[in-house]
Structures are given as C-alpha cells and as structure tokens.
Amino acid sequence: MLKIYLDNCCYNRPYDDLTIGGNGKEATAKLYIQSLVKYGSLSLVYSFMLVTEINDSKFTENRLQISLIFGGRQYDLRDLRCANRGD
C-alpha cells in the first residue's frame, strides 16, 4: 500500500479562506486524499513534529477536527516517543 505524509498546512487548508488563490483546489485535493486513506487505498504516516504543530495550533476547533483523522483522539506528545517512519 502506498504511504503518504501530509504536512500541517494540508490539514489546515480546508479551514482557510477557500476563495483566495488555489486554496479551494488544495482543500479539495486534501479531502480527496483523506477519503482514500479512510477507505484503505492509502496509508497515512505522520511524524512527531507534525503532531507537535497540530497540538500547538491556536485554533481549538480545527485542532479537534484534525485529531479525528488520527483516530479521533488528541495525541499527547508523551504518547509519541519517536516519529512514525511508516514501518
């Protein structure tokens, strides 16, 4: 199965102003990729740094919605001892 890593900006793109530049197309692409992960066509990998950036977000609602992508819970950084290398 193909493994994919999405940067923090990808997770936040659907919450941006979709009328600016290519934000709308990027949000659509991100949501499509997310659906491929949900239905098992792609495997999502993430890193300690990505989780750190998401946890540090000042936008609580965005952070909670993004956490659903990672199994529906907020990750505590103490739970992640090292980066997921996609193994």
Side-chain angles (χ1 to χ4, degrees), residues 12-31:
N12 285 292
R13 184 61 71 212
Y15 305 102
D16 291 338
D17 183 345
L18 303 182
T19 64
I20 296 175
N23 287 359
K25 289 180 182 179
E26 291 174 7
T28 300
K30 185 273 181 184
L31 294 172

Side-chain angles (χ1 to χ4, degrees), residues 1-64:
M1 179 180 307
L2 182 64
K3 297 174 184 175
I4 189 166
Y5 177 91
L6 299 174
D7 193 280
N8 188 38
C9 66
C10 294
Y11 291 100
N12 285 292
R13 184 61 71 212
Y15 305 102
D16 291 338
D17 183 345
L18 303 182
T19 64
I20 296 175
N23 287 359
K25 289 180 182 179
E26 291 174 7
T28 300
K30 185 273 181 184
L31 294 172
Y32 176 70
I33 291 168
Q34 184 176 321
S35 72
L36 293 175
V37 170
K38 180 179 179 179
Y39 293 110
S41 299
L42 294 174
S43 176
L44 184 64
V45 295
Y46 55 90
S47 67
F48 174 82
M49 213 46 235
L50 175 64
V51 173
T52 300
E53 290 174 351
I54 291 169
N55 282 341
D56 287 346
S57 173
K58 63 182 178 180
F59 302 105
T60 304
E61 184 59 30
N62 296 10
R63 187 174 60 244
L64 294 174

Side-chain angles (χ1 to χ4, degrees), residues 48 76-85:
F48 174 82
D76 185 321
L77 297 180
R78 294 170 293 200
D79 293 342
L80 302 174
R81 301 195 184 269
C82 63
N84 176 345
R85 291 180 221 130

